Amino acid sequence: MNGENWVLRNNTIIGKNSSQLLIYLQPTWEWFTDSWISENNTWYNPDTSNSFQIKDRGKAKNFEDWQSIVSLDKESVFTQTEGKLDCI
């Protein structure tokens, strides 16, 4: 997999429980996020809002901290979705 130029747009990302992170970035995350586009996504974990792990930043962060640290997902939300989701 290529570690740059990723686009994550208009997706719904849902964790199953408190032990499942929505995203986990390794120590070289700044290099990765410099070329990453992430916007208009819906993020959610029913058991915890602290679902965003950045390896060199301690404990898992909440969505607002995630947005602030990585400067991504400014138009995204952390909220429960409505209706049934079909997973492929």
Side-chain angles (χ1 to χ4, degrees):
M1 291 182 84
N2 191 353
E4 58 186 338
N5 300 317
W6 282 29
V7 176
L8 188 62
R9 183 182 288 138
N10 302 320
N11 292 286
T12 301
I13 302 96
I14 300 175
K16 184 176 180 180
N17 55 50
S18 62
S19 66
Q20 186 176 38
L21 297 168
L22 298 175
I23 194 131
Y24 180 88
L25 295 180
Q26 295 293 323
T28 56
W29 66 270
E30 290 169 319
W31 173 80
F32 176 68
T33 58
D34 282 347
S35 66
W36 185 13
I37 298 169
S38 188
E39 60 190 16
N40 298 316
N41 297 301
T42 299
W43 300 86
Y44 187 65
N45 186 315
D47 292 341
T48 182
S49 61
N50 296 327
S51 298
F52 301 85
Q53 181 68 54
I54 301 168
K55 179 85 170 161
D56 61 351
R57 297 293 176 115
K59 294 181 181 179
K61 307 298 182 197
N62 64 32
F63 185 64
E64 292 79 19
D65 289 342
W66 160 258
Q67 290 173 308
S68 176
I69 293 167
V70 299
S71 297
L72 295 169
D73 283 305
K74 298 298 184 189
E75 290 80 35
S76 298
V77 295
F78 185 92
T79 188
Q80 185 172 2
T81 59
E82 295 182 24
K84 181 179 181 286
L85 294 176
D86 294 322
C87 297
I88 298 174

